[in-house]
Amino acid sequence: LGASTTVDQSTVTTSGAWQGGVDFSWYEPNSTQPEFQISTADQLAGLRYLVNNGTDFKGITINLENDIDLNSVEWIPIGTYTDAVKNDESAVFSSNETAYNGFKGTFDGNNHTIKNLYAKGSTMYNYAIGGGFKGLFGILESGSTIKNLTIENVNIQANGMVGSIAGYIPSAFDSTEPVTIENIDVIGNITIKSLFNVGGIIGRSESGSSINIKNCNVSGTTGSYIRSYSSTSVAFVGGIIGAEYS
């Protein structure tokens, strides 16, 4: 269930809870079409693979066509930092686009649900070695839009910049367009815990960026929490956004 296989050069994706497969056969790299459709967890993981390897989808809309169950399999977020950050942690906060492979397109959930999102990272302070930038999206860059989506049941534990929709919005590099987060519901069992920059929707929006948040709701069942485990005053936690510098 949830696995893809290639038979005679055709990719077949079964339905059901995700087992960790990746399918990016839906994407045509030389196409000029403005939209693509994805309908399985494998294809969502394919979007992650493409973005994290340098395809930013600027000006392109990704339409979600079905509900998706990520099955609490560890999720690597869509959008990541590059070797520039791995080699120099201070590059996280710089206005240097080479530091990120972020998502710049539009992700339209079309009122579907992604459930059982699970992400984790090191709880040590150094987030540049895999401890931070956790959420469905790791990094959203200027001009991107996430809309019309429900996240049901989310479990994230890391050390910084975490939120159910996205961990981090860096400084704008080549655009003055804001990041737009619209018509988002986060429901069910919500446990989001990190050292700092912890939000129900967004972990941190950096100075030099802008963000529009409209009609977003975070409503957990009994026992849910959004929490910092910091023992100092540097924590920054919020139901919608943890730290807003922009």
Side-chain angles (χ1 to χ4, degrees):
L1 292 178
S4 293
T5 186
T6 300
V7 180
D8 294 333
Q9 298 182 340
S10 296
T11 300
V12 179
T13 304
T14 62
S15 61
W18 189 43
Q19 301 296 313
V22 178
D23 174 11
F24 47 84
S25 63
W26 52 268
Y27 177 65
E28 300 176 25
N30 297 317
S31 172
T32 58
Q33 67 185 77
E35 297 186 5
F36 291 94
Q37 287 71 44
I38 62 174
S39 58
T40 69
D42 287 0
Q43 291 175 341
L44 183 66
L47 174 63
R48 181 266 312 285
Y49 175 88
L50 292 164
V51 172
N52 291 5
N53 283 277
T55 303
D56 60 26
F57 288 92
K58 184 176 182 179
I60 296 174
T61 297
I62 306 298
N63 288 297
L64 183 62
E65 299 294 300
N66 283 314
D67 293 348
I68 286 178
D69 185 357
L70 291 179
N71 199 29
S72 297
V73 175
E74 184 178 349
W75 177 251
I76 298 172
I78 302 167
T80 187
Y81 46 78
T82 65
D83 288 341
V85 173
K86 292 179 182 178
N87 297 328
D88 178 11
E89 190 174 310
S90 66
V92 169
F93 307 110
S94 68
S95 297
N96 180 2
E97 189 166 14
T98 63
Y100 307 103
N101 285 329
F103 182 73
K104 295 184 179 181
T106 294
F107 186 91
D108 189 343
N110 289 297
N111 300 315
H112 288 294
T113 297
I114 295 175
K115 65 180 181 179
N116 299 322
L117 171 64
Y118 168 64
K120 68 176 182 178
S122 168
T123 56
M124 298 177 64
Y125 184 77
N126 189 337
Y127 40 81
I129 58 172
F133 304 93
K134 302 299 182 183
L136 179 64
F137 291 81
I139 297 171
L140 292 175
E141 296 199 52
S142 59
S144 61
T145 295
I146 313 298
K147 63 181 181 179
N148 307 326
L149 180 66
T150 295
I151 302 291
E152 181 179 355
N153 304 333
V154 55
N155 178 3
I156 302 175
Q157 295 196 35
N159 68 14
M161 305 181 197
V162 301
S164 59
I165 293 297
Y168 189 54
I169 298 172
S171 297
F173 306 109
D174 59 354
S175 171
T176 58
E177 295 180 85
V179 170
T180 298
I181 310 294
E182 185 174 4
N183 300 331
I184 301 295
D185 287 310
V186 182
I187 63 174
N189 185 13
I190 302 167
T191 56
I192 304 176
K193 185 176 181 180
S194 186
L195 183 65
F196 66 104
N197 300 166
V198 194
I201 302 284
I202 300 291
R204 174 171 173 151
S205 179
E206 193 57 73
S207 57
S209 69
S210 61
I211 180 171
N212 289 335
I213 300 177
K214 180 180 180 180
N215 194 30
C216 292
N217 170 65
V218 179
S219 180
T221 56
T222 300
S224 294
Y225 59 80
I226 301 165
R227 179 182 302 162
S228 168
Y229 58 82
S230 173
S231 60
T232 74
S233 61
V234 184
F236 306 132
V237 180
I240 297 293
I241 187 166
E244 162 53 13
Y245 290 88
S246 61

mmCIF file of all heavy atoms in Angstrom, residues 1-7 10-26 39-46:
data_model
loop_
_atom_site.group_PDB
_atom_site.id
_atom_site.type_symbol
_atom_site.label_atom_id
_atom_site.label_comp_id
_atom_site.label_asym_id
_atom_site.label_seq_id
_atom_site.Cartn_x
_atom_site.Cartn_y
_atom_site.Cartn_z
ATOM 1 N N LEU A 1 0.836 -1.194 0.000
ATOM 2 C CA LEU A 1 0.000 0.000 0.000
ATOM 3 C C LEU A 1 0.877 1.253 0.000
ATOM 4 O O LEU A 1 1.847 1.352 0.732
ATOM 5 C CB LEU A 1 -0.906 0.025 1.235
ATOM 6 C CG LEU A 1 -2.008 -1.041 1.277
ATOM 7 C CD1 LEU A 1 -2.781 -0.923 2.576
ATOM 8 C CD2 LEU A 1 -2.938 -0.878 0.096
ATOM 9 N N GLY A 2 0.489 2.207 -0.826
ATOM 10 C CA GLY A 2 1.211 3.455 -0.876
ATOM 11 C C GLY A 2 2.513 3.389 -1.633
ATOM 12 O O GLY A 2 3.279 4.337 -1.630
ATOM 13 N N ALA A 3 2.799 2.257 -2.288
ATOM 14 C CA ALA A 3 4.076 2.108 -2.979
ATOM 15 C C ALA A 3 3.905 2.317 -4.474
ATOM 16 O O ALA A 3 2.839 2.132 -5.030
ATOM 17 C CB ALA A 3 4.656 0.732 -2.719
ATOM 18 N N SER A 4 4.981 2.738 -5.129
ATOM 19 C CA SER A 4 4.986 2.879 -6.581
ATOM 20 C C SER A 4 5.971 1.889 -7.174
ATOM 21 O O SER A 4 6.992 1.563 -6.569
ATOM 22 C CB SER A 4 5.416 4.296 -6.976
ATOM 23 O OG SER A 4 4.464 5.241 -6.588
ATOM 24 N N THR A 5 5.652 1.434 -8.374
ATOM 25 C CA THR A 5 6.584 0.587 -9.109
ATOM 26 C C THR A 5 6.495 0.936 -10.578
ATOM 27 O O THR A 5 5.485 1.455 -11.043
ATOM 28 C CB THR A 5 6.275 -0.910 -8.885
ATOM 29 O OG1 THR A 5 7.289 -1.693 -9.505
ATOM 30 C CG2 THR A 5 4.926 -1.281 -9.492
ATOM 31 N N THR A 6 7.552 0.695 -11.314
ATOM 32 C CA THR A 6 7.573 1.005 -12.740
ATOM 33 C C THR A 6 7.510 -0.289 -13.538
ATOM 34 O O THR A 6 8.324 -1.184 -13.352
ATOM 35 C CB THR A 6 8.841 1.792 -13.110
ATOM 36 O OG1 THR A 6 8.854 2.997 -12.366
ATOM 37 C CG2 THR A 6 8.865 2.115 -14.597
ATOM 38 N N VAL A 7 6.510 -0.370 -14.406
ATOM 39 C CA VAL A 7 6.299 -1.543 -15.244
ATOM 40 C C VAL A 7 6.240 -1.063 -16.691
ATOM 41 O O VAL A 7 5.376 -0.263 -17.048
ATOM 42 C CB VAL A 7 4.994 -2.274 -14.872
ATOM 43 C CG1 VAL A 7 4.799 -3.495 -15.751
ATOM 44 C CG2 VAL A 7 5.001 -2.660 -13.401
ATOM 45 N N SER A 10 5.969 2.626 -17.219
ATOM 46 C CA SER A 10 4.793 3.293 -16.676
ATOM 47 C C SER A 10 4.800 3.154 -15.161
ATOM 48 O O SER A 10 5.016 2.060 -14.633
ATOM 49 C CB SER A 10 3.507 2.675 -17.240
ATOM 50 O OG SER A 10 3.432 2.870 -18.631
ATOM 51 N N THR A 11 4.569 4.260 -14.469
ATOM 52 C CA THR A 11 4.555 4.231 -13.014
ATOM 53 C C THR A 11 3.152 3.948 -12.504
ATOM 54 O O THR A 11 2.190 4.611 -12.890
ATOM 55 C CB THR A 11 5.055 5.561 -12.437
ATOM 56 O OG1 THR A 11 6.386 5.784 -12.885
ATOM 57 C CG2 THR A 11 5.037 5.543 -10.914
ATOM 58 N N VAL A 12 3.046 2.952 -11.667
ATOM 59 C CA VAL A 12 1.770 2.567 -11.078
ATOM 60 C C VAL A 12 1.836 2.843 -9.586
ATOM 61 O O VAL A 12 2.732 2.370 -8.896
ATOM 62 C CB VAL A 12 1.478 1.067 -11.315
ATOM 63 C CG1 VAL A 12 0.152 0.675 -10.666
ATOM 64 C CG2 VAL A 12 1.466 0.765 -12.806
ATOM 65 N N THR A 13 0.906 3.644 -9.097
ATOM 66 C CA THR A 13 0.884 4.002 -7.685
ATOM 67 C C THR A 13 -0.379 3.445 -7.041
ATOM 68 O O THR A 13 -1.481 3.745 -7.488
ATOM 69 C CB THR A 13 0.926 5.526 -7.503
ATOM 70 O OG1 THR A 13 2.077 6.041 -8.165
ATOM 71 C CG2 THR A 13 0.984 5.891 -6.027
ATOM 72 N N THR A 14 -0.232 2.633 -6.025
ATOM 73 C CA THR A 14 -1.395 2.075 -5.351
ATOM 74 C C THR A 14 -1.922 3.056 -4.320
ATOM 75 O O THR A 14 -1.237 3.976 -3.883
ATOM 76 C CB THR A 14 -1.036 0.754 -4.660
ATOM 77 O OG1 THR A 14 -0.033 1.008 -3.671
ATOM 78 C CG2 THR A 14 -0.512 -0.247 -5.662
ATOM 79 N N SER A 15 -3.156 2.868 -3.919
ATOM 80 C CA SER A 15 -3.766 3.724 -2.915
ATOM 81 C C SER A 15 -3.437 3.202 -1.524
ATOM 82 O O SER A 15 -2.891 2.122 -1.355
ATOM 83 C CB SER A 15 -5.277 3.777 -3.118
ATOM 84 O OG SER A 15 -5.824 2.483 -2.991
ATOM 85 N N GLY A 16 -3.819 4.002 -0.505
ATOM 86 C CA GLY A 16 -3.609 3.563 0.858
ATOM 87 C C GLY A 16 -2.597 4.412 1.576
ATOM 88 O O GLY A 16 -2.082 5.399 1.052
ATOM 89 N N ALA A 17 -2.317 4.063 2.814
ATOM 90 C CA ALA A 17 -1.378 4.816 3.636
ATOM 91 C C ALA A 17 0.032 4.733 3.057
ATOM 92 O O ALA A 17 0.435 3.713 2.480
ATOM 93 C CB ALA A 17 -1.399 4.290 5.064
ATOM 94 N N TRP A 18 0.764 5.789 3.237
ATOM 95 C CA TRP A 18 2.097 5.900 2.649
ATOM 96 C C TRP A 18 3.076 4.936 3.296
ATOM 97 O O TRP A 18 3.069 4.724 4.501
ATOM 98 C CB TRP A 18 2.593 7.329 2.840
ATOM 99 C CG TRP A 18 3.855 7.666 2.109
ATOM 100 C CD1 TRP A 18 4.182 7.337 0.835
ATOM 101 C CD2 TRP A 18 4.943 8.441 2.616
ATOM 102 N NE1 TRP A 18 5.408 7.866 0.499
ATOM 103 C CE2 TRP A 18 5.902 8.540 1.572
ATOM 104 C CE3 TRP A 18 5.204 9.058 3.835
ATOM 105 C CZ2 TRP A 18 7.099 9.239 1.729
ATOM 106 C CZ3 TRP A 18 6.377 9.755 3.988
ATOM 107 C CH2 TRP A 18 7.317 9.844 2.939
ATOM 108 N N GLN A 19 3.957 4.361 2.464
ATOM 109 C CA GLN A 19 5.006 3.478 2.953
ATOM 110 C C GLN A 19 6.400 4.053 2.686
ATOM 111 O O GLN A 19 7.399 3.366 2.893
ATOM 112 C CB GLN A 19 4.878 2.100 2.297
ATOM 113 C CG GLN A 19 3.547 1.420 2.546
ATOM 114 C CD GLN A 19 3.313 1.113 4.002
ATOM 115 O OE1 GLN A 19 4.181 0.580 4.686
ATOM 116 N NE2 GLN A 19 2.144 1.470 4.502
ATOM 117 N N GLY A 20 6.467 5.296 2.208
ATOM 118 C CA GLY A 20 7.759 5.934 1.994
ATOM 119 C C GLY A 20 8.191 6.010 0.543
ATOM 120 O O GLY A 20 9.326 6.392 0.254
ATOM 121 N N GLY A 21 7.300 5.681 -0.395
ATOM 122 C CA GLY A 21 7.651 5.712 -1.807
ATOM 123 C C GLY A 21 7.772 7.124 -2.352
ATOM 124 O O GLY A 21 7.296 8.093 -1.756
ATOM 125 N N VAL A 22 8.414 7.255 -3.502
ATOM 126 C CA VAL A 22 8.615 8.538 -4.176
ATOM 127 C C VAL A 22 8.256 8.384 -5.650
ATOM 128 O O VAL A 22 8.763 7.483 -6.319
ATOM 129 C CB VAL A 22 10.071 9.028 -4.039
ATOM 130 C CG1 VAL A 22 10.268 10.341 -4.789
ATOM 131 C CG2 VAL A 22 10.455 9.181 -2.577
ATOM 132 N N ASP A 23 7.397 9.274 -6.144
ATOM 133 C CA ASP A 23 6.979 9.236 -7.543
ATOM 134 C C ASP A 23 6.979 10.658 -8.092
ATOM 135 O O ASP A 23 6.185 11.493 -7.670
ATOM 136 C CB ASP A 23 5.573 8.619 -7.645
ATOM 137 C CG ASP A 23 4.998 8.682 -9.053
ATOM 138 O OD1 ASP A 23 5.747 9.009 -9.999
ATOM 139 O OD2 ASP A 23 3.790 8.412 -9.198
ATOM 140 N N PHE A 24 7.884 10.947 -9.024
ATOM 141 C CA PHE A 24 7.862 12.261 -9.671
ATOM 142 C C PHE A 24 7.637 12.134 -11.171
ATOM 143 O O PHE A 24 7.968 13.031 -11.944
ATOM 144 C CB PHE A 24 9.140 13.062 -9.369
ATOM 145 C CG PHE A 24 10.427 12.308 -9.531
ATOM 146 C CD1 PHE A 24 11.036 12.178 -10.767
ATOM 147 C CD2 PHE A 24 11.046 11.734 -8.429
ATOM 148 C CE1 PHE A 24 12.221 11.497 -10.910
ATOM 149 C CE2 PHE A 24 12.236 11.041 -8.562
ATOM 150 C CZ PHE A 24 12.822 10.923 -9.814
ATOM 151 N N SER A 25 7.033 11.042 -11.588
ATOM 152 C CA SER A 25 6.736 10.840 -13.006
ATOM 153 C C SER A 25 5.661 11.813 -13.503
ATOM 154 O O SER A 25 5.513 12.011 -14.709
ATOM 155 C CB SER A 25 6.285 9.405 -13.247
ATOM 156 O OG SER A 25 5.086 9.123 -12.550
ATOM 157 N N TRP A 26 4.894 12.416 -12.587
ATOM 158 C CA TRP A 26 3.857 13.383 -12.965
ATOM 159 C C TRP A 26 4.434 14.696 -13.476
ATOM 160 O O TRP A 26 3.747 15.474 -14.135
ATOM 161 C CB TRP A 26 2.955 13.682 -11.755
ATOM 162 C CG TRP A 26 3.724 14.076 -10.521
ATOM 163 C CD1 TRP A 26 4.159 13.242 -9.547
ATOM 164 C CD2 TRP A 26 4.161 15.391 -10.157
ATOM 165 N NE1 TRP A 26 4.842 13.941 -8.576
ATOM 166 C CE2 TRP A 26 4.855 15.272 -8.933
ATOM 167 C CE3 TRP A 26 4.028 16.650 -10.725
ATOM 168 C CZ2 TRP A 26 5.419 16.360 -8.273
ATOM 169 C CZ3 TRP A 26 4.587 17.750 -10.081
ATOM 170 C CH2 TRP A 26 5.269 17.597 -8.873
ATOM 171 N N SER A 39 -1.914 13.253 -6.502
ATOM 172 C CA SER A 39 -3.043 12.638 -5.806
ATOM 173 C C SER A 39 -2.631 11.570 -4.804
ATOM 174 O O SER A 39 -3.495 10.984 -4.154
ATOM 175 C CB SER A 39 -4.018 12.033 -6.824
ATOM 176 O OG SER A 39 -3.364 11.075 -7.642
ATOM 177 N N THR A 40 -1.331 11.280 -4.684
ATOM 178 C CA THR A 40 -0.883 10.244 -3.751
ATOM 179 C C THR A 40 0.255 10.775 -2.882
ATOM 180 O O THR A 40 0.906 11.773 -3.206
ATOM 181 C CB THR A 40 -0.379 9.000 -4.507
ATOM 182 O OG1 THR A 40 0.851 9.319 -5.183
ATOM 183 C CG2 THR A 40 -1.410 8.503 -5.512
ATOM 184 N N ALA A 41 0.504 10.059 -1.798
ATOM 185 C CA ALA A 41 1.621 10.416 -0.925
ATOM 186 C C ALA A 41 2.954 10.254 -1.650
ATOM 187 O O ALA A 41 3.881 11.042 -1.454
ATOM 188 C CB ALA A 41 1.589 9.559 0.340
ATOM 189 N N ASP A 42 3.066 9.243 -2.496
ATOM 190 C CA ASP A 42 4.283 9.062 -3.282
ATOM 191 C C ASP A 42 4.553 10.282 -4.152
ATOM 192 O O ASP A 42 5.698 10.725 -4.294
ATOM 193 C CB ASP A 42 4.162 7.837 -4.180
ATOM 194 C CG ASP A 42 4.258 6.512 -3.430
ATOM 195 O OD1 ASP A 42 4.424 6.551 -2.197
ATOM 196 O OD2 ASP A 42 4.167 5.462 -4.075
ATOM 197 N N GLN A 43 3.497 10.821 -4.761
ATOM 198 C CA GLN A 43 3.663 11.994 -5.620
ATOM 199 C C GLN A 43 3.984 13.238 -4.803
ATOM 200 O O GLN A 43 4.756 14.094 -5.253
ATOM 201 C CB GLN A 43 2.405 12.196 -6.462
ATOM 202 C CG GLN A 43 2.221 11.104 -7.502
ATOM 203 C CD GLN A 43 0.918 11.209 -8.258
ATOM 204 O OE1 GLN A 43 -0.030 11.864 -7.822
ATOM 205 N NE2 GLN A 43 0.852 10.551 -9.411
ATOM 206 N N LEU A 44 3.420 13.348 -3.604
ATOM 207 C CA LEU A 44 3.795 14.450 -2.721
ATOM 208 C C LEU A 44 5.272 14.349 -2.358
ATOM 209 O O LEU A 44 5.990 15.356 -2.338
ATOM 210 C CB LEU A 44 2.939 14.409 -1.450
ATOM 211 C CG LEU A 44 3.161 15.547 -0.446
ATOM 212 C CD1 LEU A 44 2.733 16.888 -1.032
ATOM 213 C CD2 LEU A 44 2.398 15.273 0.853
ATOM 214 N N ALA A 45 5.742 13.135 -2.083
ATOM 215 C CA ALA A 45 7.164 12.933 -1.819
ATOM 216 C C ALA A 45 7.998 13.230 -3.060
ATOM 217 O O ALA A 45 9.156 13.661 -2.957
ATOM 218 C CB ALA A 45 7.414 11.504 -1.343
ATOM 219 N N GLY A 46 7.417 13.026 -4.244
ATOM 220 C CA GLY A 46 8.104 13.399 -5.470
ATOM 221 C C GLY A 46 8.274 14.894 -5.592
ATOM 222 O O GLY A 46 9.317 15.380 -6.059
#
